[in-house]
């Protein structure tokens, strides 16, 4: 049974947006749907926004405790811009999806507090169980126990934990 977490999350979809935005929205990424399922298991409220919508109205993040962004490597610049705006507004940032194949860049260039690497359902569940609540990133010692993530170590340098096992 999942533990209830007192948090509201904003899920930001940058997949397929490239550097200027997408012409058509055809799907919600499978990884984002999986994250939404984990959030539901933990009774966490969430909303979904396209990155283009978020960049037009970044103040929307103030209604949430944490922002979570997903995208592909071609979406890196938009993810970086979203990350900058999220941090200017004082909110923690979790990034995942295909762009997390370079987790050090997400931590050091985008400013992600945590990057979820690979199939993130197990890692993300552990992140929630280890204290991601009310917009607070878990302590370094707690993060160091979670496989499949990268996070800001001392001095802002990325620490990468090996990828969590695949679900199937």
């Amino acid at each position: 049974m999942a533990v209830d977490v007192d948090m509201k999350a904003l899920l930001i979809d940058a997949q397929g947006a490239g550097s200027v935005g997408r012409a058509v929205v055809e799907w919600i990424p499978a990884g984002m749907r999986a994250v939404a399922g984990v959030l539901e298991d933990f009774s966490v409220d969430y909303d979904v926004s396209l990155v283009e919508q978020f960049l037009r109205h970044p103040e929307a993040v103030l209604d949430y405790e944490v922002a979570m962004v997903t995208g592909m490597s071609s979406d890196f610049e938009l993810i970086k811009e979203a990350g900058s705006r999220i941090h200017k507004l004082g909110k923690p940032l979790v990034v995942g999806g295909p762009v997390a194949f370079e987790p050090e860049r997400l931590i050091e260039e985008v400013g992600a507090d945590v990057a979820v690497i690979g199939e993130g359902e197990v890692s993300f569940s552990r992140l929630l169980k280890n204290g991601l609540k009310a917009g607070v990133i878990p302590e370094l010692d707690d993060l160091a126990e979670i496989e499949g993530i990268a996070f800001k170590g001392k001095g802002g340098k990325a620490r990468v934990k090996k990828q969590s096992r695949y679900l199937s």
Side-chain angles (χ1 to χ4, degrees), residues 84-148:
S84 172
R85 294 183 189 195
I86 290 164
H87 277 292
K88 281 181 185 171
L89 292 167
K91 298 297 178 172
L93 173 62
V94 178
V95 180
V99 72
F101 82 98
E102 292 183 300
E104 296 88 354
R105 285 188 76 199
L106 294 176
I107 301 300
E108 295 169 7
E109 294 180 38
V110 172
D113 296 294
V114 176
V116 178
I117 305 164
E119 291 187 33
E121 293 90 333
V122 173
S123 302
F124 189 62
S125 293
R126 290 181 182 148
L127 188 62
L128 287 168
K129 287 177 186 175
N130 280 290
L132 177 62
K133 58 186 173 188
V136 177
I137 299 296
E139 297 293 327
L140 292 180
D141 290 343
D142 294 326
L143 290 171
E145 297 297 318
I146 303 171
E147 295 177 353

Side-chain angles (χ1 to χ4, degrees), residues 11-25:
L11 305 180
I12 301 172
D13 172 17
Q15 286 202 20
S19 60
V20 295
R22 69 194 111 207
V24 177
V25 177

